[in-house]
Amino acid sequence: MESLVPVEHEDRWVLGLRGLAVTRIGVDHRLSLALGPDVEVVVETAAALSRGPMRGPGVEIVQLLPERQDVAGALALFGAQVLSAVAFKTGSLRLVFSNALHVNCRADADFEAWQVAGPGDWRFVSLPGGDLGVWRGPVQTGRDHNADHDHFPMPSHSKSCDTASTTKPQV
């Protein structure tokens, strides 16, 4: 298995998930895929599940609609290994699996369409409007004892998608 280290390119991040298998699938108002013990992919808006070639004749496409729990097609991902995982700086996500299935999720105008937690302390989030938030660092949850509000890590983002550290939201 290749090293689990994301690599940045001009227009995308190769997420370094090759060889990880889907070990758990969760459904509520979103679709969650656990890849091994340390990586989670969460899809919160409509996504396309396709079989066969990415485009052209013979492609079969099934819409995954997590907000309606209409994701039965994604059950076929269980046990499949990741061949390719790419987060585009436009906010789209492409996952290719060993069983010839592909998951494609585009950015949403109003919501975070998807997020990937891992590998390690890396975080990738499709930001509303078509941008990609990328950061690395420990995830902080719960109460900050030095403040009077809860805080969660927020990615610093830009079109260049530089890696950033977590920051506290302004109140």
Side-chain angles (χ1 to χ4, degrees):
M1 184 166 48
E2 293 179 20
S3 175
L4 299 178
V5 177
V7 177
E8 183 177 17
H9 296 274
E10 185 175 328
D11 64 339
R12 69 190 77 196
W13 281 81
V14 175
L15 300 180
L17 306 179
R18 184 175 178 85
L20 293 178
V22 177
T23 57
R24 182 181 49 78
I25 298 174
V27 180
D28 47 26
H29 62 281
R30 54 199 192 141
L31 171 65
S32 302
L33 304 174
L35 305 177
D38 299 320
V39 177
E40 184 175 45
V41 176
V42 177
V43 176
E44 299 188 41
T45 62
L49 177 71
S50 60
R51 178 179 297 280
M54 293 282 290
R55 296 186 180 96
V59 67
E60 301 171 29
I61 299 175
V62 174
Q63 284 295 115
L64 302 176
L65 303 169
E67 68 276 6
R68 290 194 233 160
Q69 297 81 39
D70 187 1
V71 295
L75 294 176
L77 295 170
F78 188 80
Q81 289 188 327
V82 175
L83 297 179
S84 174
V86 178
F88 293 90
K89 292 182 180 181
T90 58
S92 293
L93 176 69
R94 180 180 67 213
L95 302 172
V96 179
F97 294 91
S98 60
N99 60 358
L101 290 176
H102 309 190
V103 174
N104 291 286
C105 187
R106 293 185 178 197
D108 188 90
D110 301 313
F111 302 102
E112 293 178 352
W114 58 266
Q115 58 186 295
V116 177
D121 56 1
W122 286 92
R123 302 291 179 264
F124 298 86
V125 178
S126 176
L127 299 170
D131 204 356
L132 182 65
V134 177
W135 73 101
R136 185 177 188 189
V139 174
Q140 300 172 351
T141 59
R143 294 292 290 168
D144 176 0
H145 298 289
N146 297 321
D148 59 354
H149 62 279
D150 286 339
H151 74 279
F152 298 92
M154 300 297 292
S156 174
H157 60 279
S158 67
K159 290 292 181 189
S160 66
C161 201
D162 292 330
T163 304
S165 62
T166 57
T167 60
K168 271 190 210 178
Q170 299 294 320
V171 289

